[in-house]
Amino acid sequence: MMPRVKSVRYVRDYVLELEFTDGVTGTIDFRERIVDRGGVFALLEDPESFRQVRVDSDAGTLVWPCGVDFCPDVLWHDATGIPITI
């Protein structure tokens, strides 16, 4: 099983620092995933809304009150730069 998100810390703007269950820590800029994407992502363009990010411990990923979440495998890849192998 791939590592899951253990904790998240807001850094600035659309940047979050994530810690994974394998001990890896990485920083991800979500700007390209959120800004000007429309739909539910439009809600996260507001910095106060974006800061409401939490870890869903059951799913091991990031979630926001508006229902947005991201695949934890992709987050781990983005944080580490290591390709996902299946």
Side-chain angles (χ1 to χ4, degrees), residues 13-76:
D13 302 323
Y14 300 100
V15 179
L16 300 174
E17 180 181 80
L18 284 65
E19 180 183 3
F20 294 85
T21 54
D22 63 352
V24 168
T25 301
T27 303
I28 301 175
D29 187 341
F30 285 80
R31 180 177 298 279
E32 290 185 12
R33 293 183 175 135
I34 293 171
V35 176
D36 296 328
R37 294 291 304 270
V40 294
F41 295 105
L43 299 171
L44 297 182
E45 287 189 44
D46 171 52
E48 289 305 312
S49 294
F50 183 77
R51 288 181 190 203
Q52 293 179 20
V53 64
R54 299 289 177 258
V55 174
D56 179 324
S57 58
D58 291 332
T61 195
L62 303 178
V63 295
W64 282 265
C66 63
V68 171
D69 64 4
F70 289 95
C71 173
D73 298 343
V74 173
L75 294 173
W76 184 84

